[in-house]
């Protein structure tokens, strides 16, 4: 069965610090990869996605993620975080087969202090 | 405006009292899903639907029912709610098999006492 692991449960950073959130998945076939963000009290919004092609994908708000197939990883990065990036971040994987099951990681809470 | 709507947004109910959470999308999407979000567990899929009259179980279907009589609507039914179904529920829709991006509704916070 597919699974997604997010290494950090809670990350605390100061403004302007660099961010990297780890995500690993277990599935041997073709995958589609996503990072979603959930700001306090709001619904999930798509940050970025990877289907194929360039493994370095850029998303909204200065976020990017790199797909490393050999490591089954899709880590999220941002060079300089802002207080407004305080949110919960979810990595998700879809195995690309019929059906719509998105498998989510358990989430990483990011707290940015100003 | 393309969106997924859910109602109600907040609901407090008692054990055993049947309830329905509605979900509607205006994007003519074929695929729709329900998830529940619990602290430390992320989002887990309850049920999904590939099209009208086609539904299937997700990871945590026990205690829930769904129906898909129209393409735009995908209600979640709790026939006899229990306290362990207290959670935050999200409906999502997806454009089709070639489009794996899911659009999420605003969420329904359900408390069962």
């Amino acid at each position: 069965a597919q699974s997604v692991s997010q290494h950090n449960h809670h990350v605390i950073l100061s403004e302007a610090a660099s961010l990297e959130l780890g995500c690993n998945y277990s599935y041997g076939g073709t995958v589609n990869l996503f990072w979603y963000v959930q700001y306090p009290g709001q619904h999930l919004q798509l940050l970025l996605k990877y289907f194929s092609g360039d493994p370095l994908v850029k998303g909204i708000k200065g976020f990017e993620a790199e797909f490393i197939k050999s490591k089954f990883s899709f880590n999220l990065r941002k060079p300089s975080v802002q207080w407004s990036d305080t949110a919960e971040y979810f990595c998700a994987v879809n195995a690309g087969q019929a059906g719509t099951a998105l498998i989510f990681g358990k989430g990483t809470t990011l707290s940015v202090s100003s | 405006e393309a969106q997924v709507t859910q109602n109600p947004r907040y609901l407090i109910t008692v054990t055993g009292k049947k309830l329905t959470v509605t979900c509607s999308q205006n994007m003519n999407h074929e695929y729709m899903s329900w998830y529940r979000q619990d602290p430390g567990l992320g989002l887990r899929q309850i049920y999904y639907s590939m099209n009208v009259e086609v539904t299937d179980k997700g990871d945590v279907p026990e205690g829930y029912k769904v129906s898909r009589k129209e393409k735009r609507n995908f209600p979640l039914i709790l026939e006899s709610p229990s306290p362990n179904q207290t959670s935050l529920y999200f409906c999502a829709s997806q454009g089709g098999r070639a489009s794996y991006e899911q659009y999420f509704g605003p969420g329904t916070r359900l408390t069962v006492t």
Side-chain angles (χ1 to χ4, degrees), chain A residues 48-88:
Chain A
L48 46 78
K49 60 191 175 189
Y50 172 79
F51 291 166
S52 63
D54 188 344
L56 183 62
V57 292
K58 295 191 183 299
I60 61 172
K61 306 187 181 188
F63 287 90
E64 65 179 31
E66 184 175 14
F67 171 52
I68 304 179
K69 189 174 181 180
S70 61
K71 296 184 177 180
F72 298 90
S73 70
F74 190 55
N75 292 353
L76 180 71
R77 300 194 292 246
K78 186 170 184 179
S80 177
V81 295
Q82 301 173 312
W83 177 81
S84 58
D85 293 325
T86 295
E88 191 159 15

Side-chain angles (χ1 to χ4, degrees), chain A residues 9 32 34 36 38 41-44 46 49 51 88 90 94 96-107, chain B residues 9 31-33 35 37 40-43 45 48-50 59 88 90 94 97-98 100-102 104-107:
Chain A
H9 178 62
N32 304 304
F34 306 83
Y36 283 86
Q38 185 179 30
Q42 297 189 24
H43 61 93
L44 280 84
L46 182 68
K49 60 191 175 189
F51 291 166
E88 191 159 15
F90 293 94
N94 177 293
Q97 55 197 348
T100 64
L102 255 186
I103 309 300
F104 283 85
K106 294 183 178 181
Chain B
R9 296 288 312 280
Y31 300 98
M32 298 183 74
S33 303
Y35 297 86
Q37 182 182 10
L41 297 177
L43 281 85
Q45 191 179 53
Y48 66 93
S49 169
M50 295 171 67
D59 294 326
L88 180 58
F90 288 101
Q94 177 178 319
R97 295 189 185 188
Y100 297 99
E101 179 179 342
Q102 297 211 3
F104 285 83

Side-chain angles (χ1 to χ4, degrees), chain B residues 53-65:
Chain B
E53 303 290 3
V54 181
T55 63
D56 207 347
K57 297 177 181 178
D59 294 326
V60 288
E62 294 77 20
Y64 304 95
K65 284 175 57 177

